[in-house]
Amino acid sequence: MRWLKLLIWSLFIVVVVIALTLFSLYEFAPGTLFKWQGMAQSMMAGLHKQHIKIGDHDWVYLEGGEGPPVVLLHGFDANKNVWVGFARQLLPNYHVVIPDLPGWGESTRLDSADYGIAAQAARLSEFVTALKLPAVNIAGNSMGGHIAGIFAARYPQQVASLALLDSAGVHFKPNDFARRVYAGENPFNVDTPQQLDALLALVFAHPPQIPAGIKQEIVARNIASHAFFQKVLDQIGKGDLAFLLENELGKIQAPTLIIWCRADQLLDVSSVEVLQKGLAHSQTELFEGCGHVPMMELPQATGHRYRGFLQGGSNPINTAPQR
């Protein structure tokens, strides 16, 4: 039985070492721990990190699964990881590609580059071509939805279907968020954990609980990106630039799924009526129990609905919140 005692003791030592390592990372390098967590979640979902150089930008993206291609685009101040839970619903039957859009996440950010909607849609066309993907099923949230919509309008030969999840790009009933942006404020810039909490309460119906060390890391990264955030907000949210999609809805012929959260405090649900009127072929699904990022708050329900859309279904599923 001596070997069993040695095994138990060895396992105990391993557990202690792992615990001490995680504690040290949380205390002294929370950013590294945060990054490891994202990598672990992606790998468990069957997604693997890739990168490709296109022009002056290095694209970093997650990829997994086999079948028809699905490309998922994140929104402002977000990255590829926001789609991982949603992507789980697709991976058994689809080839899923989730990029960090140029300027965001781990992809290249250049001070001199244009990260407006049209410029990003053009880069996306190059990205799809470089990966040698056939016509893609493209889905986007918020800013990513705006880019996806313009991509569908201007590069129709590369698009099989479109999905817009709480997408920017069209007029909606003015709310407090819109009034703040129109007044020149940038609600995405935070300087303290308290301001981050306020932003999370704006974005989520049920804000995630974030450990204090990770929260400080997020705030520090946000502060370092204040100038970039303002630059991009000026490129996508001012004047006619904020409504490029609305002006080009008539060009979109791909079947389109509109997903929205009724409780969205950033882009009001009244956006849906504008999209429905402008799109030739659309389905709509409204969800309760979520805010601006339905694929994060209701990944199973929204992912299931999207998979049904891709498989040709038109009947809405039960929209009760599923977490």
Side-chain angles (χ1 to χ4, degrees), residues 89 287 298-306 317-322:
Q89 322 306 313
F287 285 87
L298 302 177
Q300 293 181 351
T302 54
H304 181 74
R305 179 65 180 95
Y306 180 54
I317 61 169
N318 182 354
T319 56
Q322 300 176 36

Side-chain angles (χ1 to χ4, degrees), residues 273-291:
E273 185 176 355
V274 179
L275 292 169
Q276 289 173 328
K277 288 182 178 179
L279 291 165
H281 310 286
S282 70
Q283 303 173 27
T284 299
E285 192 74 34
L286 302 181
F287 285 87
E288 307 288 351
C290 56

Side-chain angles (χ1 to χ4, degrees), residues 255-310:
T256 302
L257 174 64
I258 303 166
I259 289 179
W260 223 272
C261 294
R262 292 185 186 274
D264 191 335
Q265 299 182 76
L266 273 69
L267 304 177
D268 187 77
V269 69
S270 56
S271 302
V272 171
E273 185 176 355
V274 179
L275 292 169
Q276 289 173 328
K277 288 182 178 179
L279 291 165
H281 310 286
S282 70
Q283 303 173 27
T284 299
E285 192 74 34
L286 302 181
F287 285 87
E288 307 288 351
C290 56
H292 184 59
V293 283
M295 70 289 188
M296 293 186 71
E297 291 200 86
L298 302 177
Q300 293 181 351
T302 54
H304 181 74
R305 179 65 180 95
Y306 180 54
R307 187 178 70 236
F309 165 73
L310 293 179

Side-chain angles (χ1 to χ4, degrees), residues 52-54 125-133:
I52 185 171
K53 183 78 171 181
I54 304 174
S125 176
E126 295 176 350
F127 176 72
V128 169
T129 299
L131 292 187
K132 299 180 180 179
L133 298 176

Side-chain angles (χ1 to χ4, degrees), residues 16 23 35 37 75 102 116 129 171 176 206 223 228 274-275 293:
V16 170
F23 176 78
K35 183 177 180 180
Q37 181 186 27
T129 299
H171 283 88
D176 182 62
H206 305 279
I223 291 172
F228 176 75
V274 179
L275 292 169
V293 283

Side-chain angles (χ1 to χ4, degrees), residues 35 38-39 42 47-54 56-63 71-74 78-83 96-109 123-124 127 131:
K35 183 177 180 180
M39 291 173 58
S42 300
L47 294 164
H48 303 280
K49 189 163 75 171
Q50 314 280 6
H51 71 89
I52 185 171
K53 183 78 171 181
I54 304 174
D56 52 3
H57 283 82
D58 189 38
W59 291 67
V60 179
Y61 61 99
L62 297 175
E63 184 176 33
V71 178
L72 306 174
L73 304 182
H74 64 78
N79 59 55
K80 57 190 177 300
N81 294 328
V82 301
W83 288 102
V96 179
V97 177
I98 316 175
D100 278 334
L101 288 163
W104 304 94
E106 297 180 87
S107 292
T108 302
R109 175 183 296 181
R123 291 190 185 99
L124 180 62
F127 176 72
L131 292 187

Side-chain angles (χ1 to χ4, degrees), residues 192-219:
T192 66
Q194 292 74 26
Q195 290 178 351
L196 176 60
D197 288 338
L199 177 59
L200 292 174
L202 188 66
V203 173
F204 294 89
H206 305 279
Q209 299 300 310
I210 301 176
I214 302 298
K215 193 177 293 186
Q216 290 283 4
E217 177 71 18
I218 294 173
V219 170

